[in-house]
Amino acid sequence: GQNIDQPTEMTATEGAIVQINCTYQTSGFNGLFWYQQHAGEAPTFLSYNVLDGLEEKGRFSSFLSRSKGYSYLLLKELQMKDSASYLCAVRGPFSGGYNKLIFGAGTRLAVHP
Amino acid sequence: DAMVIQNPRYQVTQFGKPVTLSCSQTLNHNVMYWYQQKSSQAPKLLFHYYDKDFNNEADTPDNFQSRRPNTSFCFLDIRSPGLGDAAMYLCATSREGGTDGYTFGSGTRLTVV
């Protein structure tokens, strides 16, 4: 089966930096995505990595190591509005067929003043 | 604006009464997906269409069916909803091989009474 692990919850202080880790064990790999999801809303795309290394996008950066099955999302200069769930997702094909995206359970981040 | 639209936003149905959720897109993406997301859990892929090619996940219950009459529309039919089917249902689209992830609709929250 496919396995994607993230911490369940994290807390951080406004203005600080937080790193959310994701490890995966999947039978295929064609990219890793990070999504942000506010309570009761749909996920919104944050970042995409398919090659090893760091991708930076404003206050958000994402890192990938394919050999280690590991990624992290780095959030800088945290704001209260960053309180949300952060979903790590891996794109396959996993058993032949077309590409599809499978998600981790998400990390609920609470930002405090 | 190009987008993915799900109707209705909230749906209440009776136990055992068939219900249909709808999704439309103006992005002209060739792939459409239905996910089920229960509280604090990962979105779980139910089916996806690659153009008209239907792909069912092995663990999707027979109670769930889908139709895609054309590129723009996709429907999720739940033949006999049970209490365990109460969840957020997310429709998403993508271009095969695209690097910008999936575009999600706002979701339909289904309540079964």
Side-chain angles (χ1 to χ4, degrees):
Chain A
Q2 321 301 337
N3 207 39
I4 301 175
D5 287 317
Q6 311 177 226
T8 305
E9 290 185 353
M10 298 182 73
T11 59
T13 305
E14 194 175 16
I17 299 172
V18 72
Q19 177 174 312
I20 302 174
N21 295 324
C22 171
T23 58
Y24 63 91
Q25 291 173 304
T26 58
S27 58
F29 181 85
N30 192 14
L32 187 143
F33 295 81
W34 283 95
Y35 283 82
Q36 181 191 62
Q37 187 176 28
H38 285 99
E41 297 182 12
T44 55
F45 170 75
L46 289 178
S47 70
Y48 168 74
N49 296 72
V50 68
L51 299 176
D52 291 349
L54 189 68
E55 293 284 339
E56 297 188 78
K57 240 181 167 184
R59 293 191 300 116
F60 296 83
S61 304
S62 56
F63 172 83
L64 174 68
S65 168
R66 287 172 296 170
S67 61
K68 294 181 180 175
Y70 168 69
S71 174
Y72 68 73
L73 179 70
L74 195 71
L75 293 79
K76 303 175 193 171
E77 301 168 18
L78 280 172
Q79 302 174 8
M80 298 297 290
K81 68 178 182 180
D82 297 329
S83 295
S85 285
Y86 291 84
L87 302 169
C88 173
V90 173
R91 184 167 67 183
F94 301 113
S95 52
Y98 303 115
N99 276 322
K100 56 188 178 183
L101 207 60
I102 56 172
F103 286 85
T107 298
R108 208 158 40 248
L109 175 66
V111 180
H112 299 291
Chain B
D1 286 343
M3 55 177 53
V4 180
I5 300 167
Q6 289 188 245
N7 284 307
R9 188 77 189 267
Y10 300 93
Q11 175 75 57
V12 180
T13 192
Q14 291 180 332
F15 183 95
K17 184 175 180 182
V19 65
T20 294
L21 310 182
S22 73
C23 177
S24 64
Q25 55 131 341
T26 59
L27 297 160
N28 206 32
H29 283 171
N30 58 334
V31 195
M32 294 186 79
Y33 309 81
W34 279 106
Y35 284 86
Q36 178 194 63
Q37 188 178 24
K38 297 187 178 180
S39 182
S40 301
Q41 295 184 22
K44 178 182 176 301
L45 183 63
L46 296 174
F47 335 86
H48 70 283
Y49 278 93
Y50 188 104
D51 294 318
K52 290 189 175 182
D53 190 8
F54 175 70
N55 297 270
N56 193 36
E57 293 302 295
D59 56 355
T60 298
D62 293 340
N63 198 23
F64 291 82
Q65 296 179 332
S66 184
R67 297 170 281 136
R68 188 180 187 186
N70 54 52
T71 302
S72 301
F73 285 88
C74 197
F75 300 98
L76 172 63
D77 301 308
I78 309 177
R79 287 192 294 187
S80 182
L83 298 178
D85 297 327
M88 173 78 89
Y89 289 88
L90 296 164
C91 174
T93 71
S94 74
R95 287 179 301 114
E96 178 63 7
T99 61
D100 50 357
Y102 290 15
T103 302
F104 282 86
S106 55
T108 295
R109 181 165 294 284
L110 180 69
T111 301
V112 182
V113 298

